Amino acid sequence: MQYIYENFTFPPDQSFTVRSEILEIKKYTALKSHVNFEIALLENCSGKRFIGDHIQDFDGPELVLLGSYLPHCWQYYKAADPLIPTQAVVIHFFPDFLGKELLEKPEAKQLNLLFAKAAKGVLFTGNTLRDAKMIMHQMLYVSGLSRVALMIRLLDVLAQSESSVVLSSPYYNTVESSGEAKKINKVFDYIFQNFKDDIVLQDVADLIPMSSAAFCRFFKRSTNRTLIDFVKEVRIGHSAKLLLEGHHNVAEACYNSGYNNISNFNKHFKEIKGLSPRDFIRQYEDKEKNGIGAQSL
């Protein structure tokens, strides 16, 4: 299988991200890993699970916690109910998202044990799955301290679980010091800090350091996208956040996300989001009015 290193944009006003997505019933052939911890809830699908050196068939729903740089992949074979979409609710976070001091408190002992197990992947079943599923769906509809409170509650449910199993074998070790992982994360950090400015290919390649041509091959192999496409995704993701916050109009979101041309911004926004910026806002407002929520955005 191909290995792909990923990174995720954390909006400036969020210490972790929660999203839902529709899953395609197909055979994925790339193992992914990232520096963030991940909690993944898969619903209405069955297939095969790859976590570290663990491989096993699954019949959803299922809930898995993954640690930093742990390679993982799910292959989806069929939907349990073909009339209902197969979907995932995914949370990305760092263990110290509320500060390192919290993890040093005596009350965090079980939480630290949970994070240690996450290095090999943890599968949750039974009452834990039921309770976590309810909390994760609630998290899609709230923000701010309400979402943080639910996140703490979710982690407590996982930490106290009596129906969990570690997936990878005892002798499996995640290579946190992976050379490629360090390189790609250095690139990600640079882009996230500088996406509002011009990103010059050679400047980014010099971080590794590599020639421009070698860097382009490395980045494509590691992320399955070009540097230009990645920067575009980061900029459009940031602009979408600004639009949904309601404090910026389209032009302001454009110029605060690294674009200096409205026409180019509109083109890229529709390419990434499938809608123009104004239609994107309108769809969000319609869903809010109908009480559907904005998780599909």
Side-chain angles (χ1 to χ4, degrees):
M1 278 191 175
Q2 178 187 10
Y3 282 81
I4 296 177
Y5 293 102
E6 296 184 310
N7 208 323
F8 304 96
T9 307
F10 280 32
D13 60 345
Q14 295 179 31
S15 54
F16 60 93
T17 60
V18 186
R19 75 177 193 276
S20 71
E21 60 184 43
I22 301 300
L23 303 174
E24 293 185 61
I25 301 299
K26 70 177 186 179
K27 185 176 181 180
Y28 291 86
T29 58
L31 284 166
K32 300 179 180 180
S33 69
H34 37 73
V35 66
N36 315 88
F37 275 50
E38 177 177 314
I39 302 172
L41 170 66
L42 310 179
E43 300 181 90
N44 192 40
C45 59
S46 61
K48 191 176 293 290
R49 177 197 318 117
F50 300 79
I51 308 289
D53 63 356
H54 162 92
I55 303 175
Q56 188 176 55
D57 291 332
F58 75 93
D59 191 5
E62 77 166 22
L63 178 69
V64 176
L65 169 66
L66 306 169
S68 295
Y69 297 119
L70 180 61
H72 59 278
C73 174
W74 281 270
Q75 295 182 348
Y76 310 112
Y77 296 159
K78 65 177 181 179
D81 184 344
L83 299 178
I84 301 176
T86 56
Q87 71 167 350
V89 180
V90 182
I91 300 173
H92 289 120
F93 68 103
F94 290 106
D96 61 351
F97 73 99
L98 287 180
K100 295 181 180 179
E101 295 81 6
L102 174 64
L103 298 178
E104 297 171 354
K105 304 297 183 183
E107 291 85 356
K109 179 180 179 180
Q110 290 297 113
L111 188 57
N112 285 313
L113 291 175
L114 175 70
F115 290 154
K117 292 179 182 178
K120 300 183 188 302
V122 186
L123 174 69
F124 300 91
T125 58
N127 292 338
T128 303
L129 171 59
R130 180 201 64 199
D131 295 344
K133 176 181 175 180
M134 179 182 67
I135 296 171
M136 291 176 72
H137 278 281
Q138 290 177 340
M139 292 174 72
L140 292 169
Y141 294 88
V142 297
S143 60
L145 284 176
S146 295
R147 178 176 281 184
V148 172
L150 287 172
M151 181 65 175
I152 295 173
R153 182 179 167 196
L154 173 63
L155 291 174
D156 185 53
V157 167
L158 301 185
Q160 303 298 330
S161 175
E162 297 181 354
S163 55
S164 65
V165 59
V166 175
L167 296 175
S168 293
S169 59
Y171 49 83
Y172 178 81
N173 290 312
T174 302
V175 185
E176 294 190 4
S177 60
S178 165
E180 284 206 353
K182 283 188 173 181
K183 289 178 181 178
I184 201 66
N185 278 299
K186 180 182 285 190
V187 172
F188 286 150
D189 289 342
Y190 177 84
I191 292 172
F192 292 143
Q193 292 175 20
N194 297 280
F195 70 88
K196 295 182 183 180
D197 303 318
D198 289 336
I199 302 290
V200 179
L201 172 60
Q202 190 57 58
D203 290 346
V204 182
D206 287 343
L207 297 171
I208 304 300
M210 289 181 177
S211 68
S212 295
F215 173 80
C216 288
R217 292 192 295 270
F218 162 75
F219 193 83
K220 178 71 172 180
R221 183 181 70 248
S222 299
T223 67
N224 205 31
R225 52 171 70 83
T226 66
L227 178 66
I228 291 175
D229 287 339
F230 183 76
V231 173
K232 187 191 306 180
E233 291 174 11
V234 172
R235 286 173 172 166
I236 295 302
H238 181 71
S239 69
K241 181 190 76 70
L242 295 179
L243 291 173
L244 294 183
E245 287 176 347
H247 304 306
H248 298 79
N249 59 33
V250 173
E252 291 169 337
C254 165
Y255 297 124
N256 280 284
S257 301
Y259 286 92
N260 53 22
N261 181 290
I262 287 287
S263 177
N264 201 35
F265 169 71
N266 287 336
K267 177 183 176 182
H268 288 179
F269 197 100
K270 189 168 185 179
E271 180 183 327
I272 299 296
K273 295 295 185 181
L275 298 167
S276 70
R278 296 188 189 284
D279 287 341
F280 178 80
I281 298 170
R282 190 175 298 115
Q283 184 185 84
Y284 172 80
E285 291 174 344
D286 288 344
K287 289 191 174 187
E288 287 288 288
K289 290 177 183 176
N290 294 328
I292 297 175
Q295 67 268 30
S296 62
L297 300 177

